Amino acid sequence: MTFFRWMSSSNGRLVRVVAGAALVVVGVIVGGAWLALSVVGLVPLLAGVFDVCVFAPLAHMPFAGHTLRNSLVKK
């Protein structure tokens, strides 16, 4: 529960956006086969921007960030 609470927080979103952007930039700068790193970096970047937690459904929790936060407050 603590992991999902942090992931859906403002700090968790910020870390995902920054880490995703860093992966995209490194992949583009290095190029070649490393370009795949950019594609991988899009996942945390877009998840942070659109406020979703891609791991939450694996724990039978809501996908959307605001719904996830609300469900964690009740527990």
Side-chain angles (χ1 to χ4, degrees):
M1 297 298 171
T2 305
F3 172 74
F4 295 111
R5 187 170 285 122
W6 184 80
M7 286 294 283
S8 65
S9 72
S10 297
N11 289 337
R13 287 181 68 193
L14 179 64
V15 168
R16 286 185 283 159
V17 168
V18 170
L23 290 173
V24 169
V25 168
V26 169
V28 169
I29 289 173
V30 176
W34 286 93
L35 198 58
L37 191 61
S38 295
V39 176
V40 171
L42 287 175
V43 174
L45 176 65
L46 295 175
V49 168
F50 291 112
D51 191 18
V52 296
C53 184
V54 295
F55 296 116
L58 297 173
H60 304 288
M61 301 178 105
F63 182 68
H66 62 87
T67 310
L68 177 59
R69 284 186 293 278
N70 290 339
S71 71
L72 291 171
V73 169
K74 296 176 187 175
K75 293 182 180 185

